[in-house]
Amino acid sequence: MQLFKNQELKIYNSLTSKKETFKPINEGHIGMYVCGPTVYSNVHLGNVRTFMSFDMVFRYLKHLGYKVRYVRNITDAGHLENDADAGEDKITKKARLEQIEPMEVVQRYTVDFHNILNTFNFLPPSIEPTATGHIIEQIELIKSIIANGFAYEVNGSVYFDVHKFNETNEYGKLSKRKLEDLIHNTRALDGQSDKKNPQDFALWKKAEPQHIMRWPSPWSDGFPGWHLECTAMSTKYLGDQFDIHGGGMDLKFPHHECEIAQNEAAKGQSPVNYWMHANMLQLNGQRMSKSTGNTVNPDELLSGNNSFFSKAYAPSVIRFFNAQCSYRSVLDLTDEGLLSSEKGFYRLMDAINLLDSLTPSNSSTINVEAWKQSCYDAMNDDFNSPILIANLFEAVKYINQIKDGSVTLTSQDLNILKETIHAFTFDVLGLENTAQSNSSTDKLSGAVDILIKLRQEARANKDFALSDKIRDELAHVGIQLKDGKEGTTFSLN
């Protein structure tokens, strides 16, 4: 595809806190790295939101004609509990609790991650490296940082010297934190720590005798620090300096801050031109949390088997819901919001399905080229998908007006309308046309609603035998009724 050179893309750069005109390092080519999952559990819905946002970014850059090398890693070692430098490896802990090998944990949850992303119609990244597959690169990176005077070895572990680095560089420039403030807000070290200062972070940790995942190094049998892994993998495949680095807002500090410091300490230059951060996902206005029970996983949302939502939702409806909010804004996941998105999604699909039946005219009464450019203007403004969707619904209005004869388009303009709405709906937003299956779903919902009403009548008449029979027979064919304060709903098992 030829590059759309007339499109000026602006990206909000977290490093400078402003939108900047995007200029790739190498014309026509883009290197993009996004921090992937630590595969010790089923993928979290908040993570899916982040990866979905960058899938859209990847899709749009490809649509513009860029050759994109998209690297998204798998963290399969070295990520300790609470993102700390001490404690148990998340994967090793899971393996110990389930009495299986750590790599069994990695395999199980990597497969789950891929299955979920495939369900949501993600494009695969260009490269998906693993931390354990790049131990040699990480060791060499540590050697460079030590040689440049920004790291020290103590008792087989190697730590990054943040204070030494800050003498000639700026630690905290991404997260806008000052080292003095970090020092003031950090508790004093206990006598057991090997660190010179609390702000120092591990590049290599000596493994305790019980630590299963370990590799030989010049300093000890041990394992790499979590922050180091992404530095090694991103620069190996994208070079010492590349275009875009993305991830969730929660990774800005300390993970991404440490990545910048490691690169500057080892290579003498900042690694990334544009830092992008996707914001958080809430559930019913509250932070998602396992400890409070305010959480739902992707499978539960897709199946309807949860206590938060009235029904199951199709993957493309969830994608559409996600795209109705800017990637930089907090997204609040609610049943009301999903129901509204579902109606909008199928309205869009119905209009697209109408396109082939429309008859062209000898003249056009609307400016299709201007509408087309408005779609590009939206995405060129830091991937503003909510505005893009508003423009797509402007096209829905046109389609309905063409059908009723109040608007006309020439054959050429009708083709432009078709090509553009297909490109942005399916290629860029990654939606799938499931309007036909929705018709069947509506019929099923209608039939179950009738049975629910009959069951309510039976209960009102104290015919509990019939009420229970309706519930049990539906359960037998995989339809689970749920009685709540708002009435009875159902989900498919």
Side-chain angles (χ1 to χ4, degrees):
M1 179 184 289
Q2 187 177 2
L3 190 66
F4 288 87
K5 294 191 176 181
N6 60 324
Q7 302 299 333
E8 184 180 89
L9 174 63
K10 289 185 179 292
I11 295 178
Y12 183 87
N13 191 347
S14 297
L15 188 63
T16 60
S17 300
K18 63 183 180 181
K19 291 180 186 177
E20 298 177 357
T21 300
F22 177 69
K23 293 180 180 179
I25 295 170
N26 299 304
E27 186 176 358
H29 294 74
I30 294 174
M32 181 170 77
Y33 185 89
V34 173
C35 292
T38 300
V39 283
Y40 70 100
S41 66
N42 297 108
V43 62
H44 188 276
L45 198 58
N47 295 139
V48 172
R49 192 245 169 146
T50 295
F51 300 134
M52 196 175 287
S53 296
F54 286 104
D55 181 65
M56 179 186 68
V57 170
F58 180 37
R59 285 170 173 275
Y60 185 61
L61 295 175
K62 285 169 65 69
H63 172 74
L64 288 180
Y66 288 105
K67 185 175 181 180
V68 186
R69 178 175 289 174
Y70 175 23
V71 182
R72 187 187 65 215
N73 74 295
I74 295 288
T75 297
D76 55 355
H79 193 171
L80 306 187
E81 289 187 284
N82 302 314
D83 301 344
D85 283 335
E88 195 168 8
D89 184 292
K90 292 185 176 184
I91 291 167
T92 302
K93 180 179 179 179
K94 187 76 169 185
R96 176 175 57 78
L97 292 173
E98 297 194 10
Q99 296 185 321
I100 58 177
E101 284 290 326
M103 281 300 148
E104 289 183 76
V105 173
V106 168
Q107 178 69 8
R108 175 187 299 173
Y109 294 114
T110 300
V111 169
D112 168 74
F113 174 66
H114 289 150
N115 286 342
I116 290 296
L117 266 54
N118 288 338
T119 299
F120 284 110
N121 195 34
F122 278 60
L123 294 178
S126 313
I127 304 172
E128 192 173 55
T130 64
T132 57
H134 296 77
I135 299 297
I136 292 173
E137 289 84 353
Q138 292 171 73
I139 289 173
E140 292 303 311
L141 194 58
I142 295 171
K143 288 180 181 178
S144 296
I145 295 172
I146 292 174
N148 290 338
F150 296 113
Y152 55 92
E153 183 266 333
V154 181
N155 296 329
S157 293
V158 181
Y159 295 97
F160 189 94
D161 193 334
V162 171
H163 289 244
K164 178 71 174 177
F165 174 80
N166 204 56
E167 291 175 4
T168 53
N169 299 271
E170 184 185 354
Y171 181 78
K173 60 185 174 183
L174 178 66
S175 58
K176 312 299 184 285
R177 303 186 188 204
K178 298 292 184 183
L179 184 57
E180 312 87 78
D181 297 332
L182 293 173
I183 294 170
H184 178 74
N185 292 322
T186 303
R187 294 191 304 269
L189 286 170
D190 61 38
Q192 301 301 313
S193 178
D194 292 329
K195 295 182 185 182
K196 289 181 181 179
N197 298 286
Q199 296 76 35
D200 297 347
F201 57 89
L203 300 175
W204 186 266
K205 287 287 289 182
K206 180 181 179 180
E208 299 297 328
Q210 69 274 16
H211 200 100
I212 300 172
M213 303 179 80
R214 58 172 68 211
W215 292 265
S217 80
W219 313 284
S220 66
D221 277 5
F223 53 92
W226 172 43
H227 310 309
L228 185 75
E229 297 170 351
C230 284
T231 296
M233 289 183 282
S234 62
T235 55
K236 177 179 175 65
Y237 296 108
L238 299 176
D240 291 346
Q241 194 169 37
F242 55 94
D243 298 297
I244 299 171
H245 193 314
M249 193 76 74
D250 56 319
L251 297 180
K252 186 184 289 188
F253 185 88
H255 187 54
H256 290 161
E257 200 73 74
C258 293
E259 280 191 61
I260 292 175
Q262 289 165 162
N263 268 282
E264 293 183 349
K267 315 284 186 179
Q269 62 180 4
S270 190
V272 179
N273 285 351
Y274 303 88
W275 284 90
M276 296 179 64
H277 291 93
N279 216 320
M280 311 304 290
L281 179 69
Q282 292 182 342
L283 179 58
N284 293 323
Q286 301 294 323
R287 182 177 180 271
M288 293 185 74
S289 169
K290 287 183 180 179
S291 61
T292 63
N294 192 55
T295 185
V296 61
N297 67 38
D299 281 332
E300 291 169 339
L301 184 57
L302 292 165
S303 68
N305 187 23
N306 62 80
S307 59
F308 296 101
F309 300 98
S310 61
K311 57 176 291 183
Y313 291 98
S316 279
V317 169
I318 298 168
R319 274 197 80 118
F320 186 70
F321 173 78
N322 184 71
Q324 288 183 293
C325 178
S326 166
Y327 77 92
R328 289 198 292 118
S329 299
V330 174
L331 177 60
D332 190 18
L333 185 66
T334 66
D335 195 43
E336 182 182 9
L338 283 170
L339 286 169
S340 176
S341 289
E342 185 178 57
K343 290 177 183 177
F345 170 76
Y346 286 116
R347 183 175 161 226
L348 176 61
M349 293 303 116
D350 288 343
I352 290 173
N353 290 336
L354 263 178
L355 273 168
D356 289 334
S357 65
L358 299 181
T359 303
S361 179
N362 293 325
S363 63
S364 296
T365 56
I366 56 174
N367 188 335
V368 177
E369 285 289 353
W371 168 81
K372 175 181 176 179
Q373 186 56 46
S374 72
C375 294
Y376 282 101
D377 290 344
M379 289 301 289
N380 289 339
D381 182 19
D382 193 35
F383 310 97
N384 196 329
S385 55
I387 299 299
L388 170 63
I389 289 173
N391 290 328
L392 293 179
F393 277 108
E394 188 71 13
V396 169
K397 183 178 74 174
Y398 296 154
I399 291 166
N400 290 323
Q401 289 173 333
I402 295 168
K403 182 187 176 185
D404 66 28
S406 60
V407 161
T408 61
L409 286 182
T410 64
S411 178
Q412 181 179 356
D413 282 347
L414 190 56
N415 284 333
I416 292 172
L417 179 66
K418 288 179 183 178
E419 289 174 2
T420 305
I421 199 168
H422 274 86
F424 281 98
T425 301
F426 303 122
D427 298 343
V428 175
L429 294 181
L431 305 178
E432 295 181 288
N433 194 340
T434 56
Q436 297 303 317
S437 62
N438 184 56
S439 175
S440 299
T441 301
D442 286 343
K443 292 176 182 177
L444 173 63
S445 297
V448 175
D449 285 341
I450 291 171
L451 290 170
I452 288 174
K453 288 177 182 177
L454 290 173
R455 179 170 174 261
Q456 288 171 339
E457 290 175 5
R459 295 172 77 179
N461 295 329
K462 300 190 184 302
D463 189 350
F464 299 114
L466 177 58
S467 170
D468 291 346
K469 184 176 182 181
I470 292 172
R471 180 198 62 207
D472 295 342
E473 290 293 332
L474 286 173
H476 183 69
V477 296
I479 300 172
Q480 185 74 39
L481 297 185
K482 295 187 287 186
D483 295 317
K485 293 180 180 179
E486 306 299 322
T488 302
T489 59
F490 75 94
S491 62
L492 303 178
N493 292 337

